[in-house]
């Protein structure tokens, strides 16, 4: 029972990070049709922000805030310099653009900071544990779960209760119509990128707290999983992205925990096979968006 | 005065003439400048080139062979590595120094096999890498040597039960823990469980939970995980409240791992050397630091330099630069002179028999010496 409880917490914790990243991808995709593979590099940039802040002697809490801020600034900078000029281009062109931006950022990271991972050392008490029944629960996974759900709840509130959020939802339906109605589309898109950067920054904080280092490839693998999650959930669907993130995280942890040794090397293949099976059953994803287009 | 001038002029002319007559030895170097091998190839190449420059300043290898290097970036990509090795051979490379891992070295060695060009890995330690052919050599103490020494140390500490964490994605991450386990069992210890992970695995919490549930409780956890997987793993271990002793291979001997702070305090790992005061290794660090302004922060620098020493001694013994002669001479070196440690290829499968150091990471990011010993060839786990 304790084992199941702990593995469940592990699964929700990992799923929460995937969900945040997937949501960041989905927000941008739903509004401008861009699958932003540089999203992982925005996360990496946030990680480097934390590292540099610590190197310059900032207190850990301030360093985390700087890391999140760095990710938001990077997301806005990319929107302004790389993606705004491409707005309206077809999905494939946008996809290639985001790949190119991602590669450029990786090269910049490895040449200006280091090709090697750099350590991030948070206070030891941040890695503490506490007991629930017979289970030992880590502080970082707990914070990860709380922050993930709080972020998702906050974003839901923004999207449903604020004018900007409603404009973003409207933009997701029809950006051209939004412009005709006199809404400043650039501002709406910029806010979407800022929110996506904020989610990437929060993911960077949790990721670096769990992994203890940053390297140029840090964001690549999680954003790949997040991309799979958005497809599984339904491209263009915010709630689908969240669901997809949790499903991927849970599948990964369960297969890691319960597959026999002989099958464990095939874990990623098994997870992807399950995703394909779901997509064969529901080609548009688990919770497809109204305007979702699968490429 | 006139005599002194004549002497200086004559000597300079002889030196210049000697350098001009010196035979050039062309060495191709695979050096990953990005990706997962960069933390190891980068330092190894820096140490290698530093010693090549030193040798060239003194007339080349053995004073007779000026070294010219062709250095190409592989980006830690095996396909790219194969391509650059072929390019270097086309340019006339007479010796190939390959990336610091078994898999790219095996791929490179298949290209160099046709002409029997001697091929030596920067710091690959999986003993299987020499099985490609007689022309392939290791340079660092092999995983089975490291595993045997570490297992003996673990048993000396009274540890009876070990949990192995390995990845089938590379020969290094798979083989190291398995050699440890084999040696540990041969010494009377038990393997209580194993877990497989994937390179760049995002999360280790599920594995750690499984370790916590293992029966009997392990006294020690052993992994050959490298960066960034090891930092993630050790954070998950300590974050789950496990204070079990963790041990690992030579890849933990890096500033990144030591920089993780208290979470890595007490971790024990193997290594290829230790810069004892007054040693040739300590002198190497001083010389390198003076020349480059940065201090070597891991063993791969000095091992890169020792590769130059290995090549020099093989050329001297061969009396020729013919690939077959160099290969045969290298394989017969016994107690060759190295800076990190001496090395013996004779009687081995071309993975050099060298001293293995056991070191412990302290909570303040330092490394402390524990022991230095040579594995017993008769009891080595076989690949």
């Amino acid at each position: 029972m304790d084992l199941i409880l702990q593995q469940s917490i592990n699964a929700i914790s990992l799923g929460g990070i995937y969900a945040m990243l997937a949501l960041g991808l989905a927000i941008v995709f739903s509004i401008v049709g861009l699958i932003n593979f540089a999203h992982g590099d925005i996360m990496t940039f946030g990680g480097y922000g934390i590292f540099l802040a610590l190197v310059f002697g900032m207190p850990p809490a301030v360093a985390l805030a700087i890391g999140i801020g760095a990710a938001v600034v990077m997301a806005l900078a990319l929107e302004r310099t790389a993606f705004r000029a491409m707005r309206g281009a077809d999905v494939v062109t946008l996809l290639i653009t985001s790949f190119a931006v991602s590669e450029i950022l990786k090269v910049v990271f490895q040449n200006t900071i280091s090709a090697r991972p750099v350590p991030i050392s948070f206070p030891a008490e941040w890695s503490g544990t506490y007991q629930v029944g017979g289970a030992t629960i880590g502080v970082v996974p707990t914070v990860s779960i709380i922050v993930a759900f709080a972020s998702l709840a906050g974003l839901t509130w923004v999207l449903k209760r604020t004018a900007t959020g409603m404009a973003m939802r409207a933009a997701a339906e029809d950006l051209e119509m939004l412009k005709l109605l006199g809404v400043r589309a650039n501002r709406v898109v910029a806010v979407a990128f800022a929110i996506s950067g904020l989610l990437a920054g929060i993911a960077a904080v949790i990721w670096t707290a769990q992994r203890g280092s940053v390297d140029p490839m840090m964001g690549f693998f999680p954003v790949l999983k997040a991309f799979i999650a958005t497809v599984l959930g339904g491209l263009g669907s915010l709630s689908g992205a969240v669901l997809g993130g949790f499903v991927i995280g849970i599948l990964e942890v369960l297969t890691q925990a319960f597959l026999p040794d002989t099958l464990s090397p095939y874990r990623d293949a098994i997870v992807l096979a399950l995703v394909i099976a779901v997509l064969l059953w529901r080609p548009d994803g688990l919770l497809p968006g109204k305007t979702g287009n699968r490429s | 005065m006139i005599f002194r001038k004549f002497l200086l002029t004559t000597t300079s002319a002889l030196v210049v003439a000697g350098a001009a007559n010196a035979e050039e030895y062309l060495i191709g170097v695979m050096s990953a400048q990005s990706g997962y091998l960069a933390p190891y190839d980068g330092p190894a190449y820096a140490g290698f080139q530093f010693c090549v420059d030193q040798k060239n300043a003194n007339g080349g290898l053995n004073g007779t062979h000026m070294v010219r290097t062709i250095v190409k970036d592989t980006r830690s990509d095996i396909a790219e590595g194969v391509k650059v090795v072929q390019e270097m051979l086309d340019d006339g490379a007479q010796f190939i120094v390959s990336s610091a891992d078994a898999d790219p070295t095996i791929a490179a060695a298949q290209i160099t096999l046709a002409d029997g060009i001697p091929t030596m890995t920067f710091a690959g330690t999986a003993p299987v890498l020499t099985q490609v052919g007689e022309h392939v050599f290791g340079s660092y103490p092999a995983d089975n040597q490291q595993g045997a020494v570490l297992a003996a140390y673990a048993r000396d500490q009274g540890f009876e039960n070990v949990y192995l964490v390995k990845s089938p994605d590379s020969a290094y991450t798979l083989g190291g823990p398995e050699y440890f386990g084999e040696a540990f069992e041969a010494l009377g210890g038990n393997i209580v469980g194993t877990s497989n992970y994937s390179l760049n695995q995002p999360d280790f919490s599920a594995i750690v939970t499984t370790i916590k549930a293992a029966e009997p409780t392990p006294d020690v956890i052993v992994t050959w995980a490298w960066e960034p997987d090891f930092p993630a793993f050790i954070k998950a271990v300590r974050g789950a409240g496990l204070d079990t002793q963790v041990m690992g291979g030579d890849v933990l001997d890096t500033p990144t791992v030591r920089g993780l702070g208290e979470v890595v305090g007490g971790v024990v790992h193997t290594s290829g050397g230790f810069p004892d005061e007054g040693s040739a290794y300590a002198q190497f660090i001083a010389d390198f630091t003076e020349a480059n302004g940065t201090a070597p922060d891991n063993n791969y620098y000095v091992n890169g330099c020792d590769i130059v020493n290995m090549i020099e001694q093989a050329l001297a013994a061969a009396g020729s630069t013919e690939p077959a002669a160099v290969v045969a001479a290298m394989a017969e070196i016994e107690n060759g002179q190295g800076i990190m440690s001496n090395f013996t290829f004779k009687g081995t499968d071309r993975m050099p028999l060298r001293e293995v150091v056991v070191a412990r990471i302290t909570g303040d990011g330092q490394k402390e010496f524990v022991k230095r010993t040579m594995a017993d060839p008769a009891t080595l786990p076989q690949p």
Side-chain angles (χ1 to χ4, degrees), chain B residues 104-168:
Chain B
T105 297
I106 290 168
Q110 288 170 341
I111 303 300
T112 56
L113 176 64
D115 297 323
I117 300 294
T119 304
M120 178 176 280
T121 174
F122 256 141
T125 51
V128 292
L129 69 87
T130 59
Q131 293 178 356
V132 180
E134 300 288 321
H135 65 303
V136 189
F137 295 86
S139 61
Y140 212 79
D143 291 329
N144 51 352
Q145 295 175 39
Q146 294 184 37
V149 168
L150 195 62
Y153 172 74
R155 289 293 291 145
D156 286 346
Q157 302 308 299
F159 297 144
E160 293 187 354
N161 300 310
V162 63
Y163 196 99
L164 304 177
V165 179
K166 54 191 184 180
S167 170

Side-chain angles (χ1 to χ4, degrees), chain A residues 18 23 25 45 90 92 110 114 119-120 149 174 184 190 241 243 248 256 260 268:
Chain A
Y18 286 161
L23 195 53
L25 284 174
F45 190 72
D90 63 80
V92 175
Q110 71 192 29
S114 176
I120 289 187
F149 278 105
D174 193 333
R184 293 168 61 192
L243 178 63
I248 295 291
Q256 174 80 70
D268 286 346

Side-chain angles (χ1 to χ4, degrees), chain A residues 273-292:
Chain A
L274 290 171
V275 169
I276 291 169
V278 171
L279 290 175
L280 287 172
W281 169 52
R282 292 181 70 87
D284 291 326
L286 294 170
L287 294 172
K290 288 175 187 169
T291 57

Side-chain angles (χ1 to χ4, degrees), chain B residues 268-302:
Chain B
V268 169
H269 62 80
T270 50
S271 191
F274 198 87
D276 303 295
E277 200 173 326
S279 64
Y281 189 166
Q283 188 59 47
F284 168 84
I285 290 180
D287 293 344
F288 187 96
T289 307
E290 187 181 341
N292 297 284
T294 55
D297 53 17
N298 63 37
N299 284 301
Y300 305 113
Y301 288 90
V302 69

